[in-house]
Amino acid sequence: VKERGRGDFCFFSPEMNARLMERRAMEADLRLALAEGHLRLHYQPQVALPSGRVIGAEALLRWTRPGHGNVPPDRFIGVAEETGLIAPIGAWALHEACREAAGWPEHLGVAVNVSAVQFRLPGLYEAVASALKASGLQPSRLELEITEGVLLNDTDDTLAMLNRLHALGVKIAMDDFGTGYSSLGYLQKFTFDKIKIDRSFIQNLGNDANSAAIVRAVVGITRSLGVRANAEGVENAGQADMLVAEGCGEVQGYHYGRPMPPGDFARLVAG
Ligand code: C2E
Ligand code: CA
Ligand code: CA
Ligand code: CA
């Protein structure tokens, strides 16, 4: 607790201090969770349209924090990024997802999220390469999902790294497409394998003409570019029907399957 004296500045309000303490505590718990193997990945089916066949899964981090219950990744990934913990956590996720996917039927792929901070920290390339080697997974079955943030500081280094990863044989998807500042510009700079249309556009498909027009346009762009399109966050049959009508080739969302533990996904796709 800071004492107030002559000419003293009070840098931290009690609220800010509490927030800082909470982030420190979360960092310590996260470090422990990684060390003790308490982080988990759940897998959400990715489904081809119009066939409805499962063609892979997106791996999503899950953490049950002692005394706090399940903490959503949106709440702890920021802390992991600030502390650099995202590098070892991301490396763990790559190894785990590749190991898991190597046990699935061979036509199924796995997608792993790579945050912008993680992308810039050293060791990403090595983590991807060693996850592939350790698991024996065919590189083309691994897809890295990056957000526009990765390309925001559009340095030659970023593009060089994306190209190095491509040269390993892995796929690169642009996640949350349409939510950034320069989405189209990024498509010009790098040849993505897949574009994931952000959930916010899919959510309003049925009741908002603008969203439908945007989805139609994005699917058209992906077709012109020869890139696959994935519509995220499909929650009902109405949205699914519209996406089929627009010629969107791939979907993901609660309508098809929620993120699930590895055992459940393995059973779902078992021969
Ligand atoms: P994201 O990559 O955009 O992942 C999709 C999120 O949407 C997931 O939330 C998923 O559970 C949720 N979702 C899927 N289908 C539906 C639907 O039909 N309706 C709704 N309302 N939501 C749906 P989740 O698992 O909470 O993850 C949130 C974010 O955390 C992810 O967004 C991603 O940015 C990040 N994240 C998750 N796992 C990892 C990871 O291993 N590494 C990194 N760097 N980030 C991760
Ligand atoms: Ca994603
Ligand atoms: Ca997304
Ligand atoms: Ca997101």
Side-chain angles (χ1 to χ4, degrees), residues 58 60 113 145 175-176 196 232:
E58 177 178 0
L60 294 156
N113 291 285
E145 296 194 1
D175 204 356
D176 303 344
K196 300 190 76 176
E232 291 192 279

Side-chain angles (χ1 to χ4, degrees), residues 40-41 44 58-62 72-77 81 86 89-90 92-93 112-116 118 145 147 175-176 196 198-199 203 232-236 239 252-259:
R40 295 276 174 269
L41 289 175
Q44 183 176 38
E58 177 178 0
L60 294 156
L61 267 170
R62 294 293 178 260
D74 283 336
R75 289 247 297 281
F76 66 80
I77 280 172
E81 289 183 331
I86 193 68
I89 288 176
W92 172 81
V112 178
N113 291 285
V114 177
S115 82
Q118 183 184 351
E145 296 194 1
T147 56
D175 204 356
D176 303 344
K196 300 190 76 176
D198 191 68
R199 185 168 83 219
Q203 221 108 59
E232 291 192 279
V234 181
E235 292 184 352
N236 58 57
Q239 293 164 349
Q252 207 180 319
Y254 295 167
H255 181 60
Y256 298 94
R258 294 195 174 237

Side-chain angles (χ1 to χ4, degrees), residues 4-144:
R4 269 166 223 254
R6 195 170 4 130
D8 191 17
F9 291 99
C10 189
F11 286 104
F12 296 109
S13 68
E15 296 76 31
M16 282 169 75
N17 198 40
R19 208 173 146 265
L20 193 70
M21 301 273 283
E22 164 51 22
R23 290 178 92 79
R24 288 253 172 80
M26 187 184 269
E27 178 194 351
D29 285 358
L30 204 48
R31 211 175 277 284
L32 204 63
L34 178 65
E36 299 191 336
H38 293 321
L39 294 175
R40 295 276 174 269
L41 289 175
H42 279 191
Y43 296 88
Q44 183 176 38
Q46 296 183 321
V47 170
L49 288 184
S51 70
R53 286 171 57 102
V54 177
I55 53 174
E58 177 178 0
L60 294 156
L61 267 170
R62 294 293 178 260
W63 179 31
T64 305
R65 184 180 175 197
H68 293 75
N70 294 329
V71 186
D74 283 336
R75 289 247 297 281
F76 66 80
I77 280 172
V79 172
E81 289 183 331
E82 283 169 25
T83 56
L85 265 177
I86 193 68
I89 288 176
W92 172 81
L94 283 161
H95 274 83
E96 179 68 14
C98 288
R99 192 184 57 73
E100 194 64 41
W104 302 340
E106 275 183 13
H107 64 283
L108 297 178
V110 68
V112 178
N113 291 285
V114 177
S115 82
V117 171
Q118 183 184 351
F119 194 89
R120 275 180 244 300
L121 290 171
L124 176 65
Y125 180 86
E126 291 72 16
V128 171
S130 83
L132 290 170
K133 191 159 182 238
S135 63
L137 188 76
Q138 198 185 313
S140 62
R141 293 176 64 192
L142 173 63
E143 187 159 68
L144 306 178

